[in-house]
Amino acid sequence: MELKYSDNVKLVVNITEEMKQDYRDCGECACVPGGDGKDCDGCSLNVDIGGVTLCEMLPVTEKLEE
C-alpha cells in the first residue's frame, strides 16, 4: 500500500502476516482488564515515522483489519 504525504513524498508499506498477527495480539491484550498490554518494543508495527507508529495510521489499521 502507498500513503501519500505530499507531491514529493510517499510511504510504501508491505502488510505482512506478522504485522496482522501483532495487530490482533495487541487488540486482544488491550481487552484484558488490569493487563499490561502488548510490549511495543518487539512489535513489527513499531516503526516510528515522524513520531507516529504504523499502528497509529488509519490507512494501515484499515488494511490490518481486512
Side-chain angles (χ1 to χ4, degrees):
M1 70 178 298
E2 291 183 2
L3 303 173
K4 186 174 180 180
Y5 284 93
S6 70
D7 289 338
N8 300 318
V9 178
K10 68 180 174 181
L11 173 68
V12 177
V13 179
N14 293 319
I15 303 294
T16 65
E17 287 304 315
E18 179 184 7
M19 295 165 95
K20 290 179 181 180
Q21 186 60 50
D22 283 345
Y23 187 74
R24 285 190 296 267
D25 291 347
C26 186
E28 290 172 8
C29 289
C31 292
V32 175
D36 292 335
K38 182 171 175 61
D39 181 13
C40 294
D41 290 337
C43 182
S44 61
L45 296 165
N46 190 21
V47 178
D48 188 306
I49 302 165
V52 178
T53 58
L54 291 176
C55 63
E56 297 174 301
M57 296 179 176
L58 185 58
V60 174
T61 59
E62 288 173 344
K63 280 287 188 188
L64 290 167
E65 292 172 351
E66 289 182 349

